Amino acid sequence: MQISLQQVVPDFFETGKANGSQLWNQDIAFSTGENVHIIAPSGSGKTSFIHFLYGLRKDYSGNILYDNNNIKNYDAEKFATWRQQNISIIFQDLRLFTQQTVSQNLEIKRLLAPYHRESRITAMANRLGIEGKLTKLCSTCSYGEQQRIAIIRALQQPFDFLLLDEPFSHLDENNRQKAMELMQEEATERKAAIILTDLKKIDYFKAERLLYL
Amino acid sequence: MELSYKNIAPFLTAGQNKVSRWLSYLGLGVGVLLLLSSVQMYTNINHLIRDKNTRKNGTDFISITKTITNENMGRDNRFTDADIKELQRQPFIEDAAPLKANAFKVSANAGNMIPFSTDVFVEGLNTNFIDTVPDNFKWNEGDEFVPVIFSTDFLEMYNVFAPSWDLPQMSEKTASSVQLFLLCHGRNGDRQYKARIVAFSDRINSILVPENFLAQQNKVLEGVDNIPASRVFLKTRDANNPQLLSYLAGKDYHINKDKTKFGRVKGVLQAVVSGLAGFGVLVILLALVLFSFYLQLMIARSKDNLQLLLTLGYSPSWLSKTVAKKWIPVYVSIIVAALLATQLLHLGFQHFVTPARGELPIMIDWTVLVIAVLLLGLSVAINYRLVKKSLTEL
């Protein structure tokens, strides 16, 4: 499995803004099994890049191919199947159902394409220190706790690519490491790729490629 | 565990406006009941007045004769070809056909079966004007059998007098099975034919034989080619049209109108019932619109959650189907309740309105059931399309 970028440039970029980027306006491919770390300062289009890869936005020129299929041509049903089976994401803004419990937030994703048993949710919550929050409303959790909920949710499905958009911004060092370990274990189990974007280099993310946006 | 509506229900904000939801259910129930009971009533009316119907495809059939007065008694008061052509030209008359009579003498008897013999008259009429024309109402030259269409009034009359003549009373079925003999006598000779009643007519007070049989006998037995008609049958959109009535009065034509009365009563009843059915359809549409507002409100209130479900990989068509399916039991209950109420109304109608038992079937008509199933399919389909459209627009 491969995600290929062909001369992708956001429509809203001023001329020349993509110059010097190792991703924008380049031909580049990511394959399953590799870890890619993308370092991007604020305003360089980091979140847009992740949203383009996940198919949430199409306001770019160039092409993004998933196994030679242009994702711009996917319809809503195809995107649904793709997001169930091939690609998972942790949004920078988390996108949780704040009026539901933590368990409901995790189950609604797990049930869609079950990769783990329900008991695994408790084990992951234990590992990231939020086991006591499972029955609580999401809105009552701190941002750091919500970030860990979003991480666990992303790991409930099968995937070839795991997209991470600043996944640890509100976690302390200890929790960041625990979360990263968990994600790398899960990706290895699936022989999947992790594409992580952040403002600065994260030392405990063992990436084969380091790219600057 | 398979995903179902139960799993996504907590993510959908149920419409707070329960009143609008229940009103739409009630509206749908009332509309469906109105429509179903109107259709049932329509078939009931058809069933009850079928035997007395003189209307066919929305037209009236009436017969006219020239009014016989003391002044014109001695003259030939039959219709000429020119009279008939003039009638046919009138805009309010769709068609006119002469009821041709026999120029020869005819007597009928039932052989040895019933000791009965009488002089009769026979007439011929274009089959388009006859209400009951079976396939075997045909005669070819050389045939010894002549099919006869008999007036139901004549049979009734026979049954009134039969006991005093020591003759058996007869049902339509028995009368149809009696072998008759027609003895035709003219100045050129005699002919005998076997005959049988093949149908009964409510519209035409006569004994009808195929037109070509009559023409041939008139020619062979009496040497008459074209006999003028005493009666003419008219086909018209409305037998009570004032223009038609004043035209006929002006011509001194007498109308045999009693036969049109059932047709008019039935027409008025059917129009009333059709109006009720139309009102039912309107109420159903209003109820569906009201329910669609409720659904749209629910989807609008749950917009963020639904958007997030789609982002997480939920398929729009699965979501539409699952949300739409939730209301199938509601629709089924409403329509089954309306069907039961229609059945009760039908039984009530039988008990209180129709005087004789057994005139109507006990169960509601199959068309009502078909309409109920179609309405169910329509409601579910509209629901599904609406939810899918709303989800696509998110």
Side-chain angles (χ1 to χ4, degrees), chain B residues 42-61:
Chain B
Y42 195 92
T43 55
N44 283 355
I45 290 167
N46 263 344
H47 200 90
L48 289 173
I49 307 185
R50 181 170 49 198
D51 296 340
K52 301 178 174 62
N53 182 23
T54 59
R55 275 176 84 82
K56 193 176 183 182
N57 302 327
T59 47
D60 283 331
F61 291 87

Side-chain angles (χ1 to χ4, degrees), chain B residues 69-95:
Chain B
T69 60
N70 285 342
E71 287 71 36
N72 65 14
M73 263 173 66
R75 295 202 292 262
D76 184 352
N77 287 310
R78 291 179 295 182
F79 290 90
T80 62
D81 284 347
D83 290 338
I84 294 169
K85 278 191 181 130
E86 193 189 324
L87 282 167
Q88 284 170 335
R89 276 201 300 274
Q90 302 309 314
F92 36 80
I93 294 172
E94 292 196 354
D95 203 0

Side-chain angles (χ1 to χ4, degrees), chain A residues 129-145:
Chain A
I130 55 163
E131 70 278 9
K133 296 287 177 180
L134 287 174
T135 55
K136 300 283 188 295
L137 276 184
C138 224
S139 55
T140 63
C141 297
S142 71
Y143 204 84
E145 285 163 344

